[in-house]
């Protein structure tokens, strides 16, 4: 029994459990859209492919399922590239299906073909960041390649993949799709788990460093840490894995890290690193004077990706394993060792963390207007339900929440890490809301990020997604403006102005109303709390435009880019 390749593809997506396909239409993919019209899979149409990619990314992060993105040839694919790269660098499973030129016009430079130096080679645009790209040449290969795509995106280190399909292939006859492969993730051998447990139990100053690869079920990690009283630090992507209020949590190291956090990391004698790449910002540009120094200590590194073991620091013990299985095995092995108590360390952590949050809350009491950023964070903490999801962009919204927003244990923090993509937050929040329809989802974004993804507002309206977009509006790319001012004495090309040089901003609340969403303009300090309460209660898409002063982002640690501006260069 045969059908068209497009209909066989949609049937395969249904069997794979796909709920949503995100994307835009084009003449190369409408055969798939026509097949989707008869399917329970919902097509989420966006007004720009980057918005569609970020929404698919947000859905994948929140649901734990791979996001699926459908794009058109040429500019459709290139428009999506930034969003796909953002997912790829954060190890988010994303399956991209792109239409391409008709197979029989290859090399003749037909309409919208990517060519000049290589004929019909649009898959190469994605090759630097996807795990694998398949070019489909025959209709009978499409099902096999899609099966491989889902398997590759979700196994090992998750990531983005591309299946590139000439438009005529979608309309050709095809047999039903092949069966779906199943696989079990690799665990940690018992002998290795016992060895790691012994090293941790014998350490005087052990430390656990948690990366973004451990996003679910922190119970074994907490059990391990509490049995030996081991402090925990986390990467930016791992905020919320362990509750912010936990007495062993030191917070983030590196650029965002407190002095106590970085000192403890630098002086630790055994470090258990779990699913982390030791990113530059979390590692103070890998300068041993500031955060990590393994010249006289032991690094134990566990990652699903063998390429990460020892990439930035030499690992005395390295293990390629699923981090959840590995942590459970180590926690079980540690139980054979006597429990430890480090009361003085707990006191130091409590003092430093309490001071951090208290100082932020104190600054958040300000009635200055435009609002101080920490006043915005305070009103969010006071108003949102505990299980709210905060989706941030880049700038004060990301850095401030990551460092000094005490996330409730039930809450979730989602942010772009590896690519730090401006414009991620607005559309990603829509994808998160589709995955979590019963939760409050806040897109906490700057005016630069909101401006970069204005299509997210009509996207939310059309999907009935009650995202609340909170725009921290300082009429500037504020973080970079501060950076330029600090090192060059002025800010040029970073602040938004009209032709007369006056500070300028679109009216984001009016834009929301024009799109069919609710729009709130904050004109006094008390307006923000009221607008938040109303927006959360109404369960409708809403934009809250919040005038904010431009203050330096709280980043007490070291990052080499600041040295470069002063002419100091690392070898």
């Amino acid at each position: 029994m045969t059908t068209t390749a497009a209909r066989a593809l949609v049937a395969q997506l249904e069997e794979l459990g796909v709920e949503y396909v995100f994307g835009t239409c084009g003449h190369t993919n409408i055969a798939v859209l026509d097949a989707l019209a008869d399917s329970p899979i919902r097509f989420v149409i966006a007004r720009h492919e980057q918005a569609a990619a970020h929404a698919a990314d947000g859905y994948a992060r929140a649901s734990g399922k791979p996001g699926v993105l459908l794009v058109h040839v040429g500019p459709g694919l290139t428009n999506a590239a930034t969003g796909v790269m953002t997912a790829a660098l954060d190890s988010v499973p994303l399956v991209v299906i792109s239409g391409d030129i008709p197979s029989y016009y290859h090399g003749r430079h037909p309409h919208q073909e990517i060519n000049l130096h290589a004929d019909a080679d649009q898959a190469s645009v994605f090759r630097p960041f996807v795990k694998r790209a398949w070019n489909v040449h025959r209709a009978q290969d499409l099902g096999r390649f899609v099966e491989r795509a889902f398997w590759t995106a979700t196994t090992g280190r998750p990531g983005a993949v591309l299946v590139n399909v000439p438009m005529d292939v979608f309309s050709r006859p095809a047999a039903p799709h092949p069966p779906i492969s199943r696989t079990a993730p690799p665990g940690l051998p018992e002998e290795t788990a016992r060895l790691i447990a012994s090293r941790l139990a014998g350490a005087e100053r052990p430390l656990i460093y948690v990366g973004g690869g451990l996003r679910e079920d922190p119970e074994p990690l907490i059990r391990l840490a509490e049995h030996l009283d081991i402090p925990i630090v986390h990467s930016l992507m791992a905020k919320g894995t362990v509750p912010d209020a936990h007495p062993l949590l030191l917070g983030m190291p590196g650029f965002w890290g407190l002095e106590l956090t970085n000192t403890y990391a630098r002086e630790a004698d055994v470090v258990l690193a779990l699913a982390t790449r030791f990113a530059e910002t979390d590692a103070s540009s890998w300068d041993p004077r500031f955060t990590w120094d393994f010249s006289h200590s032991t690094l134990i590194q566990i990652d699903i990706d063998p390429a990460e073991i020892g990439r930035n620091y030499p690992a005395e013990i390295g293990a390629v394993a699923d981090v959840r299985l590995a942590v459970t095995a180590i926690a079980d092995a540690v139980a054979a060792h006597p429990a430890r108590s480090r009361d003085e360390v707990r006191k130091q952590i409590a003092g430093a963390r309490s001071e951090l949050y208290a100082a932020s809350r104190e600054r958040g009491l300000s009635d200055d207007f435009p609002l101080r950023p920490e006043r915005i964070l305070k009103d969010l903490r006071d108003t949102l339900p505990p299980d709210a999801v905060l989706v941030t962009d880049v700038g004060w919204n990301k850095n401030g929440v990551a460092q000094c927003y005490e996330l409730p244990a039930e809450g979730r923090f989602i942010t772009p890490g590896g690519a730090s993509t401006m414009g991620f937050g607005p559309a990603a929040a829509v994808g998160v809301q589709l995955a979590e329809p019963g939760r409050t989802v806040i897109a906490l974004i700057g005016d630069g990020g909101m401006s970069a993804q204005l299509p997210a507002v009509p996207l939310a309206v059309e999907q009935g997604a009650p995202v609340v977009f909170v725009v921290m509006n300082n009429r500037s790319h504020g973080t970079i403006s501060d950076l330029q001012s600090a090192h060059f004495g002025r800010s040029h090309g970073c602040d938004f102005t009209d032709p007369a040089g006056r500070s300028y901003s679109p009216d984001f609340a009016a834009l929301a109303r024009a799109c069919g969403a609710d729009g709130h303009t904050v004109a006094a300090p008390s307006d923000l709390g009221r607008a938040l309460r109303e927006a959360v209660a109404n369960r409708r898409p809403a934009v809250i435009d919040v005038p904010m002063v431009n203050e330096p982002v709280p980043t007490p640690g070291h990052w080499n880019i600041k040295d470069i501006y002063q002419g100091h260069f690392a070898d």
Side-chain angles (χ1 to χ4, degrees):
M1 181 178 178
T2 61
T3 182
T4 66
R7 293 193 173 276
L9 168 64
V10 170
Q12 185 177 18
L13 296 179
E14 291 174 7
E15 184 172 328
L16 285 160
V18 174
E19 300 173 296
Y20 297 95
V21 171
F22 299 80
T24 55
C25 60
H27 67 266
T28 61
N29 65 26
I30 56 174
V32 179
L33 294 178
D34 183 68
L36 283 170
D38 300 318
S39 168
I41 296 173
R42 183 164 148 193
F43 181 65
V44 180
I45 181 174
R47 282 172 164 74
H48 192 277
E49 290 84 359
Q50 185 176 342
H54 288 319
D57 180 353
Y59 169 83
R61 295 186 198 225
S63 69
K65 302 176 182 179
V68 180
L69 177 65
L70 179 67
V71 297
H72 173 55
V73 68
L77 179 135
T78 58
N79 282 344
T82 297
V84 177
M85 181 186 71
T86 301
L89 294 185
D90 285 347
S91 303
V92 176
L94 197 67
V95 177
V96 185
I97 300 169
S98 61
D100 203 347
I101 62 161
S103 59
Y104 43 82
Y105 285 156
H106 184 279
R108 299 187 69 177
H109 296 188
H111 182 57
Q112 293 187 307
E113 179 191 69
I114 295 181
N115 54 56
L116 287 183
H117 308 296
D119 294 328
D121 193 25
Q122 69 176 17
S124 290
V125 174
F126 278 23
R127 289 192 193 278
F129 48 84
V130 295
K131 291 183 70 176
R132 178 78 189 268
W134 288 267
N135 281 306
V136 179
H137 300 294
R138 306 180 305 166
Q140 56 264 45
D141 291 334
L142 178 59
R144 181 166 59 90
F145 288 174
V146 168
E147 186 273 331
R148 291 287 82 195
F150 274 81
W151 191 88
T152 302
T154 55
T155 58
R157 177 177 175 173
V161 295
L162 171 68
V163 181
N164 190 60
V165 189
M167 64 176 292
D168 58 296
V169 168
F170 284 132
S171 298
R172 293 182 184 272
H177 55 79
I180 307 303
S181 297
R182 308 294 180 190
T183 187
L188 189 70
E190 288 186 18
E191 182 180 352
T192 305
R194 289 195 298 267
L195 174 62
I196 293 172
S198 177
R199 290 296 185 90
L200 291 171
E204 289 302 315
R205 195 177 172 89
L207 181 64
I208 299 174
Y209 177 31
V210 183
L214 186 63
R215 295 174 180 140
E216 299 173 4
D217 189 19
E219 186 275 330
L221 170 65
I222 293 172
R223 178 160 49 93
L224 163 62
E226 290 180 346
H227 186 75
L228 295 178
D229 241 18
I230 303 176
I232 303 169
V233 297
H234 64 79
S235 69
L236 170 70
M237 298 294 295
K239 180 180 174 70
T241 300
V242 175
D244 274 341
H246 194 280
L248 287 171
L249 191 68
L250 274 163
M252 291 185 297
F255 188 46
W256 293 286
L258 299 174
E259 181 179 354
L260 173 64
T261 307
N262 282 321
T263 299
Y264 199 99
R266 190 170 59 252
E267 297 177 356
D269 57 351
V270 176
V271 175
L272 174 60
L274 301 169
T276 176
R277 296 185 291 169
F278 284 95
E280 183 186 4
T281 46
D282 295 319
S284 298
S285 296
W286 309 291
D287 190 323
R289 295 174 298 170
F290 298 99
T291 302
W292 304 106
D293 181 4
F294 291 102
S295 58
H296 302 289
S297 60
T298 295
L299 171 61
I300 303 168
Q301 190 171 6
I302 299 174
D303 203 286
I304 193 68
D305 185 352
E308 294 301 337
I309 305 294
R311 179 195 293 276
N312 284 309
Y313 297 106
E316 186 171 319
I317 302 173
V320 177
D322 178 275
V323 69
R324 289 170 293 181
L325 297 177
V327 169
T328 299
I330 297 168
D332 292 344
V334 156
H337 295 267
R340 295 286 298 270
S341 178
R342 306 177 203 274
D343 293 338
E344 186 57 36
V345 172
R346 284 184 175 239
K347 289 178 184 177
Q348 291 175 339
I349 294 173
R353 298 281 280 176
S354 296
E355 182 180 347
L356 169 70
Y357 292 133
S360 179
R361 283 192 293 269
E362 180 66 27
R363 291 188 293 271
L365 294 173
S366 171
D367 278 335
D368 292 349
F369 194 82
L371 295 181
R372 298 185 70 180
E374 279 161 305
R375 170 59 188 267
I376 299 174
L377 298 188
K378 175 188 175 298
D379 283 6
L380 286 166
R381 279 193 302 265
D382 292 346
T383 306
L384 298 182
D387 67 342
V389 184
L390 284 178
V391 184
T392 70
D393 216 83
V394 295
W396 225 109
N397 48 90
K398 177 182 80 171
N399 299 331
V401 170
Q403 189 189 57
C404 54
Y405 188 100
E406 193 168 5
L407 191 71
E410 308 94 322
R412 179 93 189 259
F413 170 63
I414 294 176
T415 196
S420 254
T421 304
M422 180 174 292
F424 167 85
V430 179
V432 170
Q433 187 74 82
L434 292 177
E436 299 274 14
R439 294 175 75 170
T440 296
V441 177
I442 304 294
L444 184 63
I445 48 187
D447 52 309
M450 186 74 250
S451 298
Q453 277 302 316
L454 295 177
V457 179
L459 176 63
V461 172
E462 290 163 347
Q463 298 304 319
V467 174
V468 179
F469 303 87
V470 178
V471 184
M472 301 173 76
N473 190 350
N474 55 14
R475 303 188 173 205
S476 173
H477 292 309
T479 301
I480 307 304
S481 180
D482 287 336
L483 193 61
Q484 188 185 112
S485 296
H487 292 281
F488 296 96
R490 59 183 176 179
S491 175
H492 178 73
C494 303
D495 306 313
F496 301 118
T497 59
D498 67 13
R502 296 171 298 212
S503 179
Y504 167 78
S505 175
D507 186 336
F508 293 109
L511 170 71
R513 292 189 289 271
C515 293
D518 294 336
H520 305 265
T521 300
V522 172
S526 61
D527 288 352
L528 176 56
R530 173 193 52 76
L532 280 168
R533 287 187 292 274
E534 183 177 329
V536 170
N538 285 347
R539 298 298 291 167
R540 282 175 40 79
V543 175
I544 304 176
D545 193 344
V546 191
M548 183 184 84
V549 296
N550 201 11
E551 286 188 357
V553 174
T555 48
H558 171 79
W559 193 3
N560 177 250
I561 62 169
K562 293 185 176 182
D563 290 347
I564 292 172
Y565 299 133
Q566 300 171 33
H568 302 284
F569 305 101
D571 293 332

